[in-house]
Amino acid sequence: MKIKSSPYSNLVAVLANLLLAYVVYMLTRVAFVLENWNLFAADWGSLSLWEVFSGSLRFDSSAILYTNSLWIVLMLLPLHLKERPWWQTMCKWIFVVINSLCLVINLVDSVYSQFTGRRTTATFFSEFSNEDNLGGIVFTELFNHWYLFLCGIAMIAAIWFLYVKPSAGGQKQQQTSTYRRNYYIIQSIALAIAIPMAVFAMRGGFTRDTRPITISNANQYVHSPRQASIVLNTPFSIIRTLGKKTFKNPHYFPDEVVELIFSPVHNPSATDTVPMVSGTKNVMVIIMESFSREYFGYYNLDNEGHSKYNLSGKTAANSFVSYTPFLDSLLEHSLTFEHTFANGRKSIDAMPSSLSSVPYFIEPFILTSSSLNDLSGLADCLGRKGYHSAFFHGAPNSSMGFQAFARSSGFKRYLGMSEYCDDPKTNGRGDFDGHWAIWDEEFLQFTARAITEQIEQPFMVGFFSATSHHPFNIPDRYKDTYTGGPLPIHRTIQYSDNALRHFFATASKQPWFKNTIFVFTADHTNQLQYDESKTSIGSVTIPIFIYDPSGELPTGKLPGVMQQIDIMPTVLRILGYNQPFSAFGKNVFDPNQPRWAVNYDNGIYQYIDGDYTLLFDGEKATALYNFANDPLQRVNLLDKEPDRVASMEKQLKALVQSYMIRMSTNNLVLRD
């Protein structure tokens, strides 16, 4: 589209095209909501559409002005040179390319955010920097979400054809002194106004004390951290996290006071150093990809054996389907807790949380500069006691930074796809799933054999599964065996559960089996079917349980809370570890320690204490829920229980400040 040449034409073109950009961002937001409707539908009634719209404008303004700042300057420079056709064509290409890229990023994140629970940030580029399979996955998703692809093409075409371009005509008129004077005055004033306006929009406000808005500010327009993704846009999330220092001391308390409220230092008492089991036990921590608690039968039956979920308006004993029959049977002989939680949102959060008792705050630990800090963990602590250690994961060895983290946390060996393919007893790359890793069943068998043949007792072994990762494929030979359920992930959960059945059938025949304590957890939740699983509590509810084949440890579902970061101090207590160590979690067998859990999502800290969860935005508490009585978290008790809020907020602040101080000062390890 062209408009008639005049002293105002460039200004009109800038305003018209920026309006076009706003429309594109809003359309991609609509696509985001529709694509993720299942995540938001249950709480849609709690949202104010006006608040969502006004918040969206704020974040869209920041992203649009950031990404189009060069184009605005080129369009408003008080130079007649820019009236030439080639200059305007150049500006059009810059605008179309930049905004098309932002459009594509938003649409792609409509799919990707389903698996992370948030908008993508700059750490995405570090997370997948070593992956060589993204092209195939992207192609698969283009096929699966062809409608988003077509929408993207249509919107890019609309940007091109609806772009407003000043006409290059009126050459004689432009030679008059009056025209030239008006031209330079108008262009100079427009540029002088545009620059501070753009800066204000990028910062998110006009007042002097306005801090540049960040991701966490989205929570003021919604009622749960997950809903913040509706208000945000992905270009903003990426821009705001590029090159940012992740961990900063919030100074809630004087630093010397923090350790008096919360300290990650564990000094085992004389009682703690008495092992809870006989002999020197091996330890194996099994981290299952995307295993949510709602997939289990054991965790989801009431005292009368009925499903706790209200299905189709009725609670029926036979309507709930468990996708983990083997793990359900193992749980009958294991120790677990009423509430068990993840401390992170992604696969790369699980190893620090489960093996080193380091929770995910702000950004995944592995992707921050603090990952170069001195680090301890189960492998390191037990290595000091003569334990041998190895970590198993069936993906390429450089995948997700797992090998690097394993080494930094004390594992002496790492066995991945390279070792699997080098083993003449395996089928090598013939067992590759085509996307991420060796199929779980085959790699678990390799793990059982490698432990027997290559790892000397006592050992500390970690294992991370892969098959139940998106795109949720299973081997062709099982396509008719596992029928799954309403969600695509259900079939792969069935497959991986059976892969564990075969692993235990093999492991139970090995000389090390009865002398090994198995700790099961998941990295994070994934696709969720039931409304109460989509709350801030439900979205981090994973299985955690301890299985002791020797039968020395207690069994059953105990009241209280356990989280991933509790695994390290709890295992060390079981073994009677007698040296001081640093761990942000707690020993769940210590009756004197408070039973809490913590996690972080979209700028909101969640602190769980008993049946209550407190949401905190870094400055103030925003909500308090009793999730036992209010599983859908619809009744905010923030103003009704001020004493509880104050107590929980104090503990959380001390935990966060201690974490930030130790991260920024490289003080995660107790030095000899």
Side-chain angles (χ1 to χ4, degrees), residues 105-125:
I105 290 172
N106 276 323
L107 289 180
V108 169
D109 213 21
S110 297
V111 178
Y112 181 65
S113 64
Q114 296 174 21
F115 310 106
T116 63
R118 65 171 188 168
R119 290 278 187 169
T120 296
T121 63
T123 54
F124 170 86
F125 304 104

Side-chain angles (χ1 to χ4, degrees), residues 137 153 323 334 413 431 471 503 518 591 629:
I137 294 174
I153 294 296
Y323 302 99
S334 302
R413 297 191 60 191
D431 294 328
F503 167 77
F518 297 88
N629 298 328

Side-chain angles (χ1 to χ4, degrees), residues 168-188:
Q171 295 297 321
K172 290 184 178 180
Q173 182 187 17
Q174 293 177 22
Q175 300 304 315
T176 67
S177 59
T178 301
Y179 180 93
R180 295 177 70 87
R181 182 186 68 240
N182 293 341
Y183 178 87
Y184 284 112
I185 291 174
I186 292 170
Q187 301 298 309
S188 298

